[in-house]
Amino acid sequence: MKIKSAKWRNGMKLKIDFNNMMKDFVGEQQGFDKNIFEENKGLISNAFESVIENRGTGMMGWTELPYNQTEIVEEIIQTAKNIRKKYDNFVVLGIGGSALGTIAVFHALCHLRHNELPKSKRKSPKLYVEDNVDPERMQALFDVIDLDKTMFNVVTKSGETSETMAQYLIIMDLLKKKYGDKANEHMIATTSGEKGNLIKIAKQENLKTFYIPEGVGGRFSELCPVGLLPAAVVGVDIKAMLKGAEFMDKICQNKSIFKNPALLMALLQVLAMKNGKNISVMMPYAESLKHVADWYCQLWSESLGKATNNLGEKIFVGQTPVKALGVTDQHSQIQLYREGPFDKVITLIAVENYRTTYEISDGYKDIPEVSFLCGHTLNEFITVARKSTEYALNIANRQNYTIIMPEVNAFTIGELLYLFEMETAFAGAMLNIDAYNQPGVEGGKHAAYAIFGKKGYENIKKELDNAPNKNSKYIC
Ligand code: PA5
C-alpha cells in the first residue's frame, strides 16, 4: 500500500461524530450539556498532562512502537517472506493480548474467507489462532493441518501462561517425534527477553525468537512482534499499519479536546460512566471489524476494570464492554439497547467506502414490498441501516457516537487500534487508576497454577483446599 502524500493521509483521518451524546439529540435527561468541556477542563488537562508526561516510560512503552522498530520490522518482513515460501499454515499459540490483536487485524485486512480460498488466490498461508485449551478444538486443528507444512508461533509475554504452555508442550512433543533435531524449524517464539520460562525454553531449543519490549503489556502489544509477525505472514502491510498508528499518535498529542479524538472519547465515556452508563457497546458496521470489537473488549475491560485507584482507595470502577455487529445485531441486541435500562453508551463504527460494491438484483416487480430494494446496493443498505439505528437510538434517548473510517485499510487499522489504546490511557488517567496491570487476570492464573501443584503457589492451594465443599442441594 502506498502512503502517497500528506493529503492522502489526511483523507484517511478517522473522525468522531458525537452529536448523539448531546442533549440536542438524546434529550435533556440523558444527553450532555454543551458546557461539559468547560466544567471538566481540570479533569481533561490533568489526564492529558499525565499521559503525555508518562508516554514512552514504564508500561507506556507502546507509544514508541510506531517509531522504534525499523530494524525489527525488516527482520519480521524477511521472516514472513521465508515462511510464505515454505509453509501452508501459520498457527499462533497464545491467549488474551497475545491472540486478540492478531485475530482482529487478520479479519480486518485479509479476505474475509482467507482460509477457505484456494492457494492460488490466497497467496499466503492459512492463519489459525489457538487461544483456548478445549481438547476438541486442538483435535480439530490437527484434523485440518499438515504438520510438514505448518509453522507455529508460540506467543506469551510472561512466558508462563498455562494455556499457552500446555499447547506448546503438546505441539513440541509432536514436532520432536516427527522431526527430531529439526523440530525447531516449525516453531517461532515471541516472548519477553528478560523474564519467564519461554525465553529459557527458546534458548534451549534454539528457536527463532522475537522479543516483546518490556514496557508493552499484552493488550497493547498488537503493534510489536506479537501482532506484526502473523500479520506480515498473511500479507498485511505492517509498515502502513505502523504509519497509521504514528499518524494517530501525533493527533493524540494535541491538547485541544476537539482535535484529540482519544481524549474526547475518553471524556465522553468517563462522564457517561459517572452517570451510571456502565456498559460500552462497540458496534462496527463492517464484518471486517467484528474482531476489532472483540479486541477492544479486552483492552477496555482489563485496563479499566479496577478495584482500587492510585491512592489505594476501593473504587470498583469500570465499564463492561459488549461486542455487537451492524447490521447483524440490529436483529438481536438493539431491542435491549432501545428499551432496556439507560446503562449503555453505544459506539458505532461507520465505514465510508467499502472495498467492494454489490448491487441488489431486479426482481418481483409485482411485489413492491420486496422490489423496493431493487437497484440499490448492499453498500447503501448497510449505511442506511446504520443511520436508521442512530435515529432509533436517538428517539429512545440513548447516548451514542460514531467513529467514521474513510475505508478499512492497513493505515486506518493502525489509526483505529492506536486510537483505542490512547483512549484507554486517557480514561485510565481520568479515573486515576493503573490501566496497565491486571491483578484480576493474575488471580485466575495463580489459582490454576495452585490446582496443578506448581511450585510457589502452595498457599493458594491451601486456601482452595479449605474452601467449603459445594452443596449438592444447589446442583439440580
Ligand atoms: O493484556 C494482558 O496482559 C493479558 O491479557 C495477557 O495478554 C494474557 O493474560 C496472556 O499473557 P501472556 O502473553 O503473558 O501469555
Side-chain angles (χ1 to χ4, degrees):
M1 198 178 112
K2 281 196 188 119
I3 300 164
K4 296 162 201 141
S5 58
K7 191 173 163 212
W8 184 88
R9 284 171 224 228
N10 287 332
M12 287 296 140
K13 188 172 166 205
L14 308 187
K15 292 191 205 106
I16 314 299
D17 173 355
F18 66 100
N19 278 288
N20 303 336
M21 295 297 285
M22 310 305 284
K23 284 182 173 175
D24 326 35
F25 287 88
V26 288
E28 281 293 314
Q29 232 187 335
Q30 298 299 323
F32 290 144
D33 192 274
K34 58 180 183 315
N35 293 332
I36 50 161
F37 303 103
E38 186 54 31
E39 283 165 8
N40 290 287
K41 66 177 185 218
L43 181 72
I44 298 167
S45 72
N46 287 345
F48 178 79
E49 298 302 340
S50 141
V51 168
I52 295 299
E53 204 179 293
N54 290 314
R55 51 172 295 133
T57 67
M59 285 312 286
M60 278 198 79
W62 53 271
T63 59
E64 304 316 296
L65 296 175
Y67 307 101
N68 65 6
Q69 296 190 98
T70 314
E71 269 174 44
I72 195 72
V73 162
E74 292 308 328
E75 191 184 334
I76 286 172
I77 290 172
Q78 192 49 52
T79 307
K81 212 165 145 189
N82 297 340
I83 292 169
R84 278 205 295 276
K85 273 190 216 145
K86 220 168 147 196
Y87 301 96
D88 279 350
N89 308 299
F90 190 77
V91 180
V92 173
L93 312 174
I95 197 163
S98 293
L100 291 164
T102 291
I103 300 171
V105 166
F106 174 52
H107 283 271
L109 298 175
C110 288
H111 190 286
L112 283 171
R113 305 224 184 260
H114 178 90
N115 283 1
E116 293 160 54
L117 284 175
K119 203 174 166 186
S120 57
K121 288 194 177 165
R122 209 178 346 104
K123 296 196 176 79
S124 60
K126 294 179 184 176
L127 177 68
Y128 299 95
V129 183
E130 297 304 303
D131 61 350
N132 204 342
V133 285
D134 182 330
E136 293 177 16
R137 181 160 162 186
M138 182 107 279
Q139 181 59 55
L141 175 74
F142 290 124
D143 288 344
V144 297
I145 60 168
D146 170 358
L147 222 49
D148 288 353
K149 299 238 172 253
T150 302
M151 173 63 93
F152 294 91
N153 180 199
V154 55
V155 186
T156 164
K157 168 143 190 209
S158 62
E160 59 174 22
T161 301
S162 312
E163 291 86 345
T164 305
M165 295 316 289
Q167 298 195 83
Y168 171 82
L169 284 164
I170 293 170
I171 286 158
M172 206 38 169
D173 180 55
L174 277 178
L175 293 174
K176 281 187 176 172
K177 282 185 179 135
K178 193 151 187 210
Y179 306 112
D181 289 353
K182 296 206 155 76
N184 59 5
E185 289 179 8
H186 292 263
M187 181 70 75
I188 294 176
T190 306
T191 190
S192 161
E194 315 273 315
K195 47 184 185 255
N197 301 310
L198 185 58
I199 187 64
K200 287 185 212 144
I201 293 172
K203 284 185 180 150
Q204 196 175 311
E205 302 289 358
N206 200 17
L207 300 182
K208 166 97 187 139
T209 303
F210 287 98
Y211 297 102
I212 307 175
E214 273 318 292
V216 179
R219 53 194 177 273
F220 291 84
S221 68
E222 176 49 27
L223 298 170
C224 82
V226 168
L228 295 180
L229 176 64
V233 168
V234 290
V236 168
D237 182 346
I238 58 171
K239 287 186 181 171
M241 211 160 79
L242 288 166
K243 282 280 169 219
E246 177 184 341
F247 181 74
M248 183 52 74
D249 181 53
K250 298 259 159 63
I251 294 173
C252 292
Q253 291 184 51
N254 221 308
K255 199 169 182 165
S256 159
I257 194 159
F258 300 110
K259 292 186 178 157
N260 184 334
L263 190 57
L264 173 67
M265 287 175 8
L267 181 76
L268 296 174
Q269 295 284 9
V270 166
L271 295 185
M273 231 187 281
K274 287 184 179 163
N275 290 345
K277 296 199 166 46
N278 289 321
I279 298 175
S280 164
V281 178
M282 184 56 64
M283 190 167 187
Y285 273 74
E287 192 72 30
S288 62
L289 300 177
K290 180 168 151 182
H291 296 276
V292 170
D294 237 350
W295 170 85
Y296 162 83
C297 286
Q298 188 216 9
L299 181 70
W300 201 243
S301 51
E302 276 193 5
S303 303
L304 304 186
K306 296 290 150 74
T308 47
N309 64 13
N310 289 329
L311 303 171
E313 297 160 343
K314 289 283 177 213
I315 52 166
F316 302 107
V317 77
Q319 219 182 13
T320 305
V322 172
K323 169 179 85 172
L325 178 66
V327 304
T328 308
D329 286 310
Q330 284 181 206
H331 298 269
S332 149
Q333 301 180 22
I334 286 285
Q335 168 63 30
L336 170 73
Y337 300 168
R338 286 200 66 205
E339 296 193 8
F342 288 86
D343 57 358
K344 300 169 196 68
V345 178
I346 296 132
T347 307
L348 306 173
I349 307 183
V351 175
E352 287 180 318
N353 292 303
Y354 292 86
R355 287 167 284 193
T356 189
T357 302
Y358 225 94
E359 277 180 24
I360 302 172
S361 315
D362 275 346
Y364 305 103
K365 287 267 157 38
D366 52 324
I367 312 177
E369 292 81 1
V370 172
S371 64
F372 76 96
L373 293 167
C374 302
H376 294 288
T377 61
L378 291 184
N379 309 53
E380 281 175 85
F381 196 165
I382 196 166
T383 305
V384 165
R386 177 179 51 76
K387 290 183 178 162
S388 316
T389 297
E390 256 190 68
Y391 166 76
L393 291 171
N394 286 358
I395 57 169
N397 312 111
R398 308 299 164 139
Q399 280 188 309
N400 66 92
Y401 64 92
T402 303
I403 301 173
I404 304 167
M405 284 182 89
E407 61 182 47
V408 176
N409 61 40
F411 186 85
T412 57
I413 285 296
E415 275 188 83
L416 184 67
L417 299 186
Y418 198 86
L419 169 67
F420 285 136
E421 291 180 0
M422 265 293 169
E423 177 198 11
T424 305
F426 286 128
M430 286 176 192
L431 296 167
N432 194 22
I433 54 167
D434 181 346
Y436 303 106
N437 64 4
Q438 52 283 324
V441 180
E442 312 298 345
K445 280 188 182 181
H446 294 172
Y449 298 156
I451 293 169
F452 277 127
K454 187 173 175 180
K455 216 169 148 241
Y457 296 87
E458 294 78 8
N459 286 343
I460 303 179
K461 176 89 172 72
K462 245 186 241 157
E463 262 175 50
L464 286 164
D465 289 344
N466 290 334
N469 285 331
K470 289 228 170 139
N471 192 329
S472 61
K473 102 177 167 206
Y474 298 133
I475 303 174
C476 310

PDB file of all heavy atoms in Angstrom, residues 91-121:
ATOM      1  N   VAL A  91       0.289 -21.098  12.628  1.00  0.00           N
ATOM      2  CA  VAL A  91      -0.584 -21.304  13.788  1.00  0.00           C
ATOM      3  C   VAL A  91      -0.026 -20.541  14.985  1.00  0.00           C
ATOM      4  O   VAL A  91       1.085 -20.801  15.432  1.00  0.00           O
ATOM      5  CB  VAL A  91      -0.691 -22.809  14.134  1.00  0.00           C
ATOM      6  CG1 VAL A  91      -1.599 -23.015  15.346  1.00  0.00           C
ATOM      7  CG2 VAL A  91      -1.217 -23.607  12.945  1.00  0.00           C
ATOM      8  N   VAL A  92      -0.809 -19.601  15.488  1.00  0.00           N
ATOM      9  CA  VAL A  92      -0.396 -18.842  16.670  1.00  0.00           C
ATOM     10  C   VAL A  92      -0.937 -19.536  17.914  1.00  0.00           C
ATOM     11  O   VAL A  92      -2.120 -19.856  17.990  1.00  0.00           O
ATOM     12  CB  VAL A  92      -0.939 -17.391  16.600  1.00  0.00           C
ATOM     13  CG1 VAL A  92      -0.670 -16.638  17.909  1.00  0.00           C
ATOM     14  CG2 VAL A  92      -0.313 -16.638  15.424  1.00  0.00           C
ATOM     15  N   LEU A  93      -0.043 -19.767  18.885  1.00  0.00           N
ATOM     16  CA  LEU A  93      -0.455 -20.295  20.186  1.00  0.00           C
ATOM     17  C   LEU A  93      -0.313 -19.153  21.171  1.00  0.00           C
ATOM     18  O   LEU A  93       0.793 -18.702  21.456  1.00  0.00           O
ATOM     19  CB  LEU A  93       0.471 -21.447  20.623  1.00  0.00           C
ATOM     20  CG  LEU A  93       0.767 -22.530  19.584  1.00  0.00           C
ATOM     21  CD1 LEU A  93       1.810 -23.507  20.104  1.00  0.00           C
ATOM     22  CD2 LEU A  93      -0.512 -23.269  19.205  1.00  0.00           C
ATOM     23  N   GLY A  94      -1.426 -18.635  21.644  1.00  0.00           N
ATOM     24  CA  GLY A  94      -1.378 -17.502  22.570  1.00  0.00           C
ATOM     25  C   GLY A  94      -2.785 -17.230  23.047  1.00  0.00           C
ATOM     26  O   GLY A  94      -3.755 -17.794  22.533  1.00  0.00           O
ATOM     27  N   ILE A  95      -2.915 -16.343  24.013  1.00  0.00           N
ATOM     28  CA  ILE A  95      -4.238 -16.063  24.572  1.00  0.00           C
ATOM     29  C   ILE A  95      -4.294 -14.599  25.018  1.00  0.00           C
ATOM     30  O   ILE A  95      -3.251 -13.991  25.266  1.00  0.00           O
ATOM     31  CB  ILE A  95      -4.525 -17.056  25.741  1.00  0.00           C
ATOM     32  CG1 ILE A  95      -6.015 -17.129  26.100  1.00  0.00           C
ATOM     33  CG2 ILE A  95      -3.703 -16.741  26.973  1.00  0.00           C
ATOM     34  CD1 ILE A  95      -6.391 -18.350  26.935  1.00  0.00           C
ATOM     35  N   GLY A  96      -5.501 -14.044  25.114  1.00  0.00           N
ATOM     36  CA  GLY A  96      -5.670 -12.645  25.560  1.00  0.00           C
ATOM     37  C   GLY A  96      -4.933 -11.704  24.610  1.00  0.00           C
ATOM     38  O   GLY A  96      -5.068 -11.789  23.389  1.00  0.00           O
ATOM     39  N   GLY A  97      -4.122 -10.839  25.186  1.00  0.00           N
ATOM     40  CA  GLY A  97      -3.398  -9.855  24.387  1.00  0.00           C
ATOM     41  C   GLY A  97      -2.421 -10.494  23.411  1.00  0.00           C
ATOM     42  O   GLY A  97      -1.952  -9.839  22.470  1.00  0.00           O
ATOM     43  N   SER A  98      -2.103 -11.761  23.595  1.00  0.00           N
ATOM     44  CA  SER A  98      -1.184 -12.433  22.670  1.00  0.00           C
ATOM     45  C   SER A  98      -1.941 -13.100  21.525  1.00  0.00           C
ATOM     46  O   SER A  98      -1.337 -13.821  20.731  1.00  0.00           O
ATOM     47  CB  SER A  98      -0.345 -13.473  23.437  1.00  0.00           C
ATOM     48  OG  SER A  98       0.513 -12.801  24.320  1.00  0.00           O
ATOM     49  N   ALA A  99      -3.247 -12.869  21.444  1.00  0.00           N
ATOM     50  CA  ALA A  99      -4.047 -13.502  20.385  1.00  0.00           C
ATOM     51  C   ALA A  99      -5.046 -12.548  19.731  1.00  0.00           C
ATOM     52  O   ALA A  99      -5.224 -12.550  18.516  1.00  0.00           O
ATOM     53  CB  ALA A  99      -4.809 -14.698  20.968  1.00  0.00           C
ATOM     54  N   LEU A 100      -5.710 -11.720  20.563  1.00  0.00           N
ATOM     55  CA  LEU A 100      -6.869 -10.975  20.053  1.00  0.00           C
ATOM     56  C   LEU A 100      -6.514  -9.939  18.982  1.00  0.00           C
ATOM     57  O   LEU A 100      -7.286  -9.706  18.046  1.00  0.00           O
ATOM     58  CB  LEU A 100      -7.611 -10.303  21.219  1.00  0.00           C
ATOM     59  CG  LEU A 100      -8.323 -11.310  22.143  1.00  0.00           C
ATOM     60  CD1 LEU A 100      -8.701 -10.659  23.466  1.00  0.00           C
ATOM     61  CD2 LEU A 100      -9.564 -11.867  21.467  1.00  0.00           C
ATOM     62  N   GLY A 101      -5.360  -9.305  19.113  1.00  0.00           N
ATOM     63  CA  GLY A 101      -4.944  -8.315  18.109  1.00  0.00           C
ATOM     64  C   GLY A 101      -4.687  -8.994  16.772  1.00  0.00           C
ATOM     65  O   GLY A 101      -5.063  -8.483  15.706  1.00  0.00           O
ATOM     66  N   THR A 102      -4.049 -10.153  16.827  1.00  0.00           N
ATOM     67  CA  THR A 102      -3.767 -10.907  15.593  1.00  0.00           C
ATOM     68  C   THR A 102      -5.073 -11.273  14.893  1.00  0.00           C
ATOM     69  O   THR A 102      -5.213 -11.096  13.676  1.00  0.00           O
ATOM     70  CB  THR A 102      -2.945 -12.176  15.933  1.00  0.00           C
ATOM     71  OG1 THR A 102      -1.660 -11.745  16.343  1.00  0.00           O
ATOM     72  CG2 THR A 102      -2.818 -13.107  14.745  1.00  0.00           C
ATOM     73  N   ILE A 103      -6.044 -11.741  15.657  1.00  0.00           N
ATOM     74  CA  ILE A 103      -7.335 -12.119  15.067  1.00  0.00           C
ATOM     75  C   ILE A 103      -8.001 -10.877  14.454  1.00  0.00           C
ATOM     76  O   ILE A 103      -8.514 -10.908  13.333  1.00  0.00           O
ATOM     77  CB  ILE A 103      -8.266 -12.757  16.135  1.00  0.00           C
ATOM     78  CG1 ILE A 103      -7.619 -14.012  16.719  1.00  0.00           C
ATOM     79  CG2 ILE A 103      -9.634 -13.086  15.546  1.00  0.00           C
ATOM     80  CD1 ILE A 103      -8.339 -14.605  17.939  1.00  0.00           C
ATOM     81  N   ALA A 104      -7.948  -9.758  15.199  1.00  0.00           N
ATOM     82  CA  ALA A 104      -8.606  -8.521  14.741  1.00  0.00           C
ATOM     83  C   ALA A 104      -8.011  -8.036  13.416  1.00  0.00           C
ATOM     84  O   ALA A 104      -8.738  -7.720  12.465  1.00  0.00           O
ATOM     85  CB  ALA A 104      -8.468  -7.439  15.810  1.00  0.00           C
ATOM     86  N   VAL A 105      -6.692  -7.996  13.358  1.00  0.00           N
ATOM     87  CA  VAL A 105      -6.030  -7.476  12.148  1.00  0.00           C
ATOM     88  C   VAL A 105      -6.223  -8.428  10.974  1.00  0.00           C
ATOM     89  O   VAL A 105      -6.463  -8.009   9.836  1.00  0.00           O
ATOM     90  CB  VAL A 105      -4.528  -7.210  12.445  1.00  0.00           C
ATOM     91  CG1 VAL A 105      -3.740  -6.999  11.165  1.00  0.00           C
ATOM     92  CG2 VAL A 105      -4.401  -6.002  13.373  1.00  0.00           C
ATOM     93  N   PHE A 106      -6.142  -9.709  11.229  1.00  0.00           N
ATOM     94  CA  PHE A 106      -6.340 -10.721  10.187  1.00  0.00           C
ATOM     95  C   PHE A 106      -7.717 -10.544   9.531  1.00  0.00           C
ATOM     96  O   PHE A 106      -7.842 -10.447   8.307  1.00  0.00           O
ATOM     97  CB  PHE A 106      -6.196 -12.107  10.829  1.00  0.00           C
ATOM     98  CG  PHE A 106      -6.515 -13.279   9.934  1.00  0.00           C
ATOM     99  CD1 PHE A 106      -5.922 -13.402   8.683  1.00  0.00           C
ATOM    100  CD2 PHE A 106      -7.380 -14.283  10.362  1.00  0.00           C
ATOM    101  CE1 PHE A 106      -6.207 -14.506   7.871  1.00  0.00           C
ATOM    102  CE2 PHE A 106      -7.667 -15.381   9.553  1.00  0.00           C
ATOM    103  CZ  PHE A 106      -7.082 -15.492   8.304  1.00  0.00           C
ATOM    104  N   HIS A 107      -8.743 -10.429  10.359  1.00  0.00           N
ATOM    105  CA  HIS A 107     -10.094 -10.301   9.800  1.00  0.00           C
ATOM    106  C   HIS A 107     -10.320  -8.948   9.150  1.00  0.00           C
ATOM    107  O   HIS A 107     -11.086  -8.835   8.197  1.00  0.00           O
ATOM    108  CB  HIS A 107     -11.150 -10.589  10.868  1.00  0.00           C
ATOM    109  CG  HIS A 107     -11.287 -12.054  11.134  1.00  0.00           C
ATOM    110  ND1 HIS A 107     -12.142 -12.864  10.428  1.00  0.00           N
ATOM    111  CD2 HIS A 107     -10.632 -12.852  11.990  1.00  0.00           C
ATOM    112  CE1 HIS A 107     -12.004 -14.109  10.847  1.00  0.00           C
ATOM    113  NE2 HIS A 107     -11.100 -14.132  11.801  1.00  0.00           N
ATOM    114  N   ALA A 108      -9.664  -7.928   9.682  1.00  0.00           N
ATOM    115  CA  ALA A 108      -9.878  -6.590   9.112  1.00  0.00           C
ATOM    116  C   ALA A 108      -9.195  -6.447   7.754  1.00  0.00           C
ATOM    117  O   ALA A 108      -9.715  -5.784   6.860  1.00  0.00           O
ATOM    118  CB  ALA A 108      -9.354  -5.522  10.072  1.00  0.00           C
ATOM    119  N   LEU A 109      -8.023  -7.074   7.613  1.00  0.00           N
ATOM    120  CA  LEU A 109      -7.211  -6.743   6.433  1.00  0.00           C
ATOM    121  C   LEU A 109      -7.014  -7.885   5.439  1.00  0.00           C
ATOM    122  O   LEU A 109      -6.476  -7.657   4.351  1.00  0.00           O
ATOM    123  CB  LEU A 109      -5.857  -6.190   6.892  1.00  0.00           C
ATOM    124  CG  LEU A 109      -5.978  -4.881   7.708  1.00  0.00           C
ATOM    125  CD1 LEU A 109      -4.627  -4.449   8.247  1.00  0.00           C
ATOM    126  CD2 LEU A 109      -6.602  -3.764   6.883  1.00  0.00           C
ATOM    127  N   CYS A 110      -7.426  -9.075   5.792  1.00  0.00           N
ATOM    128  CA  CYS A 110      -7.316 -10.169   4.810  1.00  0.00           C
ATOM    129  C   CYS A 110      -8.704 -10.445   4.240  1.00  0.00           C
ATOM    130  O   CYS A 110      -9.703  -9.953   4.743  1.00  0.00           O
ATOM    131  CB  CYS A 110      -6.766 -11.420   5.477  1.00  0.00           C
ATOM    132  SG  CYS A 110      -5.024 -11.244   5.849  1.00  0.00           S
ATOM    133  N   HIS A 111      -8.734 -11.223   3.210  1.00  0.00           N
ATOM    134  CA  HIS A 111     -10.004 -11.680   2.636  1.00  0.00           C
ATOM    135  C   HIS A 111     -10.844 -12.282   3.755  1.00  0.00           C
ATOM    136  O   HIS A 111     -10.323 -13.018   4.597  1.00  0.00           O
ATOM    137  CB  HIS A 111      -9.683 -12.721   1.555  1.00  0.00           C
ATOM    138  CG  HIS A 111     -10.853 -13.099   0.718  1.00  0.00           C
ATOM    139  ND1 HIS A 111     -11.868 -13.908   1.173  1.00  0.00           N
ATOM    140  CD2 HIS A 111     -11.168 -12.784  -0.559  1.00  0.00           C
ATOM    141  CE1 HIS A 111     -12.759 -14.079   0.208  1.00  0.00           C
ATOM    142  NE2 HIS A 111     -12.363 -13.400  -0.848  1.00  0.00           N
ATOM    143  N   LEU A 112     -12.152 -11.978   3.755  1.00  0.00           N
ATOM    144  CA  LEU A 112     -12.984 -12.446   4.874  1.00  0.00           C
ATOM    145  C   LEU A 112     -13.086 -13.969   4.945  1.00  0.00           C
ATOM    146  O   LEU A 112     -13.454 -14.519   5.969  1.00  0.00           O
ATOM    147  CB  LEU A 112     -14.380 -11.822   4.795  1.00  0.00           C
ATOM    148  CG  LEU A 112     -14.447 -10.357   5.252  1.00  0.00           C
ATOM    149  CD1 LEU A 112     -15.808  -9.749   4.942  1.00  0.00           C
ATOM    150  CD2 LEU A 112     -14.145 -10.222   6.732  1.00  0.00           C
ATOM    151  N   ARG A 113     -12.762 -14.622   3.832  1.00  0.00           N
ATOM    152  CA  ARG A 113     -12.746 -16.087   3.856  1.00  0.00           C
ATOM    153  C   ARG A 113     -11.351 -16.593   3.453  1.00  0.00           C
ATOM    154  O   ARG A 113     -11.213 -17.533   2.671  1.00  0.00           O
ATOM    155  CB  ARG A 113     -13.813 -16.654   2.922  1.00  0.00           C
ATOM    156  CG  ARG A 113     -15.191 -16.117   3.214  1.00  0.00           C
ATOM    157  CD  ARG A 113     -16.247 -17.190   3.187  1.00  0.00           C
ATOM    158  NE  ARG A 113     -17.561 -16.593   3.380  1.00  0.00           N
ATOM    159  CZ  ARG A 113     -18.203 -16.593   4.551  1.00  0.00           C
ATOM    160  NH1 ARG A 113     -17.667 -17.160   5.602  1.00  0.00           N
ATOM    161  NH2 ARG A 113     -19.382 -16.039   4.666  1.00  0.00           N
ATOM    162  N   HIS A 114     -10.349 -15.934   3.994  1.00  0.00           N
ATOM    163  CA  HIS A 114      -8.949 -16.219   3.648  1.00  0.00           C
ATOM    164  C   HIS A 114      -8.636 -17.719   3.674  1.00  0.00           C
ATOM    165  O   HIS A 114      -8.140 -18.269   2.699  1.00  0.00           O
ATOM    166  CB  HIS A 114      -8.039 -15.460   4.633  1.00  0.00           C
ATOM    167  CG  HIS A 114      -6.581 -15.686   4.444  1.00  0.00           C
ATOM    168  ND1 HIS A 114      -5.817 -14.906   3.610  1.00  0.00           N
ATOM    169  CD2 HIS A 114      -5.740 -16.608   4.964  1.00  0.00           C
ATOM    170  CE1 HIS A 114      -4.574 -15.330   3.641  1.00  0.00           C
ATOM    171  NE2 HIS A 114      -4.492 -16.362   4.447  1.00  0.00           N
ATOM    172  N   ASN A 115      -8.913 -18.355   4.795  1.00  0.00           N
ATOM    173  CA  ASN A 115      -8.506 -19.760   4.931  1.00  0.00           C
ATOM    174  C   ASN A 115      -9.243 -20.686   3.976  1.00  0.00           C
ATOM    175  O   ASN A 115      -8.777 -21.777   3.683  1.00  0.00           O
ATOM    176  CB  ASN A 115      -8.740 -20.244   6.369  1.00  0.00           C
ATOM    177  CG  ASN A 115      -7.670 -19.724   7.318  1.00  0.00           C
ATOM    178  OD1 ASN A 115      -6.764 -18.996   6.916  1.00  0.00           O
ATOM    179  ND2 ASN A 115      -7.764 -20.085   8.584  1.00  0.00           N
ATOM    180  N   GLU A 116     -10.398 -20.227   3.487  1.00  0.00           N
ATOM    181  CA  GLU A 116     -11.173 -21.085   2.580  1.00  0.00           C
ATOM    182  C   GLU A 116     -10.800 -20.876   1.117  1.00  0.00           C
ATOM    183  O   GLU A 116     -11.217 -21.645   0.248  1.00  0.00           O
ATOM    184  CB  GLU A 116     -12.671 -20.815   2.759  1.00  0.00           C
ATOM    185  CG  GLU A 116     -13.197 -21.254   4.111  1.00  0.00           C
ATOM    186  CD  GLU A 116     -14.504 -20.582   4.468  1.00  0.00           C
ATOM    187  OE1 GLU A 116     -15.453 -20.639   3.680  1.00  0.00           O
ATOM    188  OE2 GLU A 116     -14.561 -19.981   5.554  1.00  0.00           O
ATOM    189  N   LEU A 117     -10.051 -19.830   0.839  1.00  0.00           N
ATOM    190  CA  LEU A 117      -9.681 -19.569  -0.563  1.00  0.00           C
ATOM    191  C   LEU A 117      -8.727 -20.641  -1.076  1.00  0.00           C
ATOM    192  O   LEU A 117      -7.895 -21.140  -0.308  1.00  0.00           O
ATOM    193  CB  LEU A 117      -8.954 -18.224  -0.664  1.00  0.00           C
ATOM    194  CG  LEU A 117      -9.768 -16.936  -0.583  1.00  0.00           C
ATOM    195  CD1 LEU A 117      -8.822 -15.739  -0.578  1.00  0.00           C
ATOM    196  CD2 LEU A 117     -10.748 -16.835  -1.747  1.00  0.00           C
ATOM    197  N   PRO A 118      -8.778 -20.948  -2.382  1.00  0.00           N
ATOM    198  CA  PRO A 118      -7.760 -21.856  -2.915  1.00  0.00           C
ATOM    199  C   PRO A 118      -6.383 -21.177  -2.835  1.00  0.00           C
ATOM    200  O   PRO A 118      -6.291 -19.954  -2.850  1.00  0.00           O
ATOM    201  CB  PRO A 118      -8.186 -22.056  -4.367  1.00  0.00           C
ATOM    202  CG  PRO A 118      -9.162 -20.976  -4.661  1.00  0.00           C
ATOM    203  CD  PRO A 118      -9.743 -20.515  -3.364  1.00  0.00           C
ATOM    204  N   LYS A 119      -5.351 -21.998  -2.758  1.00  0.00           N
ATOM    205  CA  LYS A 119      -3.992 -21.485  -2.541  1.00  0.00           C
ATOM    206  C   LYS A 119      -3.608 -20.409  -3.571  1.00  0.00           C
ATOM    207  O   LYS A 119      -2.982 -19.393  -3.237  1.00  0.00           O
ATOM    208  CB  LYS A 119      -3.019 -22.660  -2.623  1.00  0.00           C
ATOM    209  CG  LYS A 119      -1.734 -22.412  -1.918  1.00  0.00           C
ATOM    210  CD  LYS A 119      -0.905 -23.672  -1.914  1.00  0.00           C
ATOM    211  CE  LYS A 119       0.508 -23.350  -1.511  1.00  0.00           C
ATOM    212  NZ  LYS A 119       1.378 -24.517  -1.623  1.00  0.00           N
ATOM    213  N   SER A 120      -4.021 -20.619  -4.824  1.00  0.00           N
ATOM    214  CA  SER A 120      -3.631 -19.682  -5.888  1.00  0.00           C
ATOM    215  C   SER A 120      -4.184 -18.276  -5.622  1.00  0.00           C
ATOM    216  O   SER A 120      -3.568 -17.275  -5.975  1.00  0.00           O
ATOM    217  CB  SER A 120      -4.152 -20.181  -7.229  1.00  0.00           C
ATOM    218  OG  SER A 120      -5.557 -20.332  -7.138  1.00  0.00           O
ATOM    219  N   LYS A 121      -5.328 -18.208  -4.977  1.00  0.00           N
ATOM    220  CA  LYS A 121      -5.918 -16.893  -4.692  1.00  0.00           C
ATOM    221  C   LYS A 121      -5.451 -16.351  -3.346  1.00  0.00           C
ATOM    222  O   LYS A 121      -5.415 -15.145  -3.135  1.00  0.00           O
ATOM    223  CB  LYS A 121      -7.445 -16.988  -4.683  1.00  0.00           C
ATOM    224  CG  LYS A 121      -8.043 -17.176  -6.052  1.00  0.00           C
ATOM    225  CD  LYS A 121      -9.532 -16.928  -6.002  1.00  0.00           C
ATOM    226  CE  LYS A 121     -10.133 -17.048  -7.396  1.00  0.00           C
ATOM    227  NZ  LYS A 121     -11.576 -17.161  -7.350  1.00  0.00           N
TER     228      LYS A 121
END
